[in-house]
Each structure stands twice: as structure tokens, then as C-alpha cells.
Amino acid sequence: MKRVVEVQLGVRSYPVTIAPGLLDDPAAIKATVTGRHALIVSNEVVAPLALERVRQALATHGLASVVLPDGEVQKSLASTDRLLTALAKMGASRDATLIALGGGVIGDLAGFAAALWMRGVPFVQIPTTLLAMVDSSVGGKTAVNLTQGKNLVGAFHQPRAVLIDPNLLATLPKRELRAGFAEVVKYGAIGDHAFFSWLEHHAEALLMLKSDSTVEAIERSVRHKAGVVARDEREDGERALLNFGHTFGHAIETLGEYHGLNHGEAVAVGMVLAAELSARIGMASSADLNRLNDLLVRLGLPTRIPPAYAAEKLLDAMRLDKKALSGQIRLILWRGIGHAEIVASVPEAKILETLRAGGAV
Ligand code: NAD
Ligand code: GLY
């Protein structure tokens, strides 16, 4: 059951291969690495599950690995320094390949180090969370955080290949799995009504990680993202639609000081708020809002703002979000399932009403 999606970017095109058991195929891993040196980047949670298989597959290369502690805090300049130093110590040159073996944290970090080493060397994404499989491993956004904010330092640097083994999801904590489903639902919500309906029919199978359904959901998500990235690599236009629910979501994450809802949960709430606002300003029907809400609930995701979050503070955080251009809050709203749009200036009073209707005080 192997599926391959090509991200079409001319000479920088690359395949995303999705196959249960892919990590047990050394030849498939080896084929992605051409140079003499390979640096595998992973973390303390993922390494015991998968590092040895990748090491064995690349045994003929000059090989090193860096296993970092777990957590978003590792997406830092200090960790970048650690990876670059490891490359220097192994005597790597421009023929080095970095291999990101982990979730979005490891992928964003290793990709960023690959963009920097000798002005850019290849890297391979082996995503191990659902979010990384359907979103962060595809599209070439790499970044680390500063204390002043998330993803403030980064580069567009496309991977050479993405290897997705859905069997890795068996060990993923259920909360992380559900968070990944928020991004899967997003693809249906913003541009693919048929996929949204398919998700409605397969929600329970997906939660049980039924293999056929899981592969299908990952493939359709990756295919959607690959198409958007091919048409708008640098987010000059259409790629911004992938931020549906994210401006609301980031505000909720910020107010929770990143200890409340996780990213996928906050995006789930954010998508419902975006749909609610769309209905409130007459862009979309409440019927579609209800379908979105119901699907997210069935996938175990929250759809309301946690108690005691102040609407005014959420609005302040939304103004600071990078999607707020020239003082106006720019939002991704929708006309209904499958039809998202960028709306350049949304009346703040309507946003406040939406936040209060969504549970803020
Ligand atoms: P993560 O990388 O922190 O992984 C979540 C948790 O799952 C971690 O504790 C991790 O160690 C653990 N884990 C990973 N794989 C596992 C497995 N197979 N079994 C058991 N545990 C496993 O988080 P994430 O949700 O994958 O990624 C979030 C990051 O991705 C954020 O930093 C975000 O900014 C970034 N992101 C980037 C993009 C992009 O386009 N580059 C898009 C979305 C998100
Ligand atoms: N995750 C949004 C993007 O890649 O553009």
C-alpha cells in the first residue's frame, strides 16, 4: 500500500512516500541520501523507537546522530549550534545530508540547520507525528524560536525527500494524534468538500488508526499541501489559506502560555471561530459551521475557547499575529466547506462578538 505524492518545484521537486512499514525498508531510506556524510537528528522519545533502523540503513555512510531532549524548547538557536557543530566535528562538507527523525520540532530544527550548513545542504524528513506527516514535513518551512516568539528565525528550504511510515503513529500519545487530525480536517475545510465528507464517514476508523483509512487521510492531506506549495511556495497568496483557524488558534495558545490547548486543539477551536465569524458576517451558512464543529468533536477535539479567556486579550494577541498586516486583522474565513478565502479587513466588533460566542468572557 505505497503511495507517492510529488511536490512539483522544478529542479527542487521531491517525492513524499507514504507506506506502512517504510522504515523497515533500508533500501528506501538509503536511496534518499547521496553524499558521503549523514547526520540523523532525533529526540529522546523517538530515538528508541526508530533511530536504529535508520542508522542500519545508512551504515555505509559517514554517520553521526544527535539525540536531543524532547520539547518545543529545543527549536532554538542553541540546538542549531549543536547540529552545526556535530557536522563540523564529523568532517562534513557540502555532501552532507541531514535526516530529521521526529515530529515538527525536529523537522523544523534539522531543516533549518540544513539550510545553514555550507549555505544549504539536502535534508530528508522522516516525520513521526501525524501533524508532521500531513503538514510540517512538506513545504520547506524551517525555523527556530526566540524567547520573543515562535518561528522568528527561519528559512525556506525544501527537503530532498519525505518518508512517511504511518506505523510510527501506533506509539503516538492519543492527544497528539487528535491534534494532527485538526490539520487533516483543515484541508477538507479550506479546499476539498469531497475529502471533508470522506472524513465524516471515516472519523471512527481514523481514531482507531485503521491502516487503509490512515494512509488515505495522510495521502489526501499531503496531496493538498503539495499542490498549494507548488503554486505558492513563498506564501505570496494561496498558501496563506493553510492558516485557516490559525490566527484565532495562535491567540488561544498565547493566552494559555503554551500550557493550555496544544497547537492542533487551538487550531480546531480557531477553525470553528473562523466559520462562526464567516456566518456572522453573512459569508457562510450555519449549517456548514455545525458540520465542522461536529466532525472535530467526533475526532476528540475541543471547539470552544477554554473558560475565563478574555475576549479583549485574545483580540490583542490576534493583532500581534504575523497575519495582521498594516494594522488590519487579516483572517482566513470561508464561504462554506471547501471554500476558504483571505479577508483583508474584518471589523473588530464582529471578531469580539465571535470570541464571546465561542466561550471567551
Ligand atoms: P513535536 O515534534 O513536539 O511532537 C509531539 C510529541 O510527540 C513530542 O513529545 C514527541 O517527542 C512525541 N513523538 C513524536 N513522534 C512520536 C512517536 N512516533 N511516538 C511517540 N511519541 C512521539 O510536535 P509536532 O506536533 O509534531 O510539531 C509541532 C511543531 O511543528 C511546532 O514547533 C510547530 O511550529 C511546527 N510546525 C511547522 C510547520 C511547518 O510548515 N514547518 C507546520 C506546522 C507546525
Ligand atoms: N503550515 C502552514 C504552511 O506550511 O504554510
Side-chain angles (χ1 to χ4, degrees), residues 19 26 30 40 43 68 145 202 249 276 288 293 301 322 333 344:
K30 193 173 157 74
I40 308 167
N43 78 13
L68 296 162
N145 307 325
H202 293 83
E276 214 269 340
D288 280 4
N293 188 84
L301 287 156
K322 63 181 185 296
L333 301 182

Side-chain angles (χ1 to χ4, degrees), residues 18-178:
I18 305 152
L22 188 56
L23 234 59
D24 299 312
D25 179 357
I29 299 171
K30 193 173 157 74
T32 63
V33 179
T34 48
R36 279 180 309 146
H37 291 102
L39 177 69
I40 308 167
V41 185
S42 193
N43 78 13
E44 288 172 356
V45 175
V46 178
L49 305 168
L51 179 61
E52 202 42 43
R53 283 181 276 172
V54 180
R55 284 186 67 86
Q56 296 277 339
L58 299 175
T60 54
H61 289 73
L63 195 61
S65 45
V66 174
V67 176
L68 296 162
D70 191 19
E72 177 75 26
V73 71
Q74 293 302 322
K75 242 177 75 170
S76 65
L77 289 172
S79 298
T80 310
D81 187 1
R82 214 173 137 181
L83 302 190
L84 298 175
T85 303
L87 285 162
K89 283 190 176 158
M90 68 193 286
S93 62
R94 283 201 52 75
D95 69 353
T97 301
L98 277 82
I99 294 141
L101 177 66
V105 165
I106 292 296
D108 280 15
L109 169 71
F112 182 56
L116 293 179
W117 179 252
M118 304 236 165
R119 302 189 186 88
V121 293
F123 82 111
V124 175
Q125 290 269 20
I126 307 183
T128 64
T129 63
L130 181 59
L131 178 134
M133 292 177 187
V134 299
D135 188 358
S136 61
S137 67
V138 177
K141 281 189 182 175
T142 75
V144 298
N145 307 325
L146 300 183
T147 44
Q148 287 80 3
K150 262 178 71 98
N151 297 329
L152 288 182
V153 183
F156 282 99
H157 187 57
Q158 299 291 343
R160 167 183 283 175
V162 183
L163 301 177
I164 299 179
D165 182 346
N167 289 354
L168 288 166
L169 298 176
T171 51
L172 193 65
K174 292 295 172 210
R175 191 175 173 196
E176 298 293 345
L177 185 70
R178 293 193 292 264

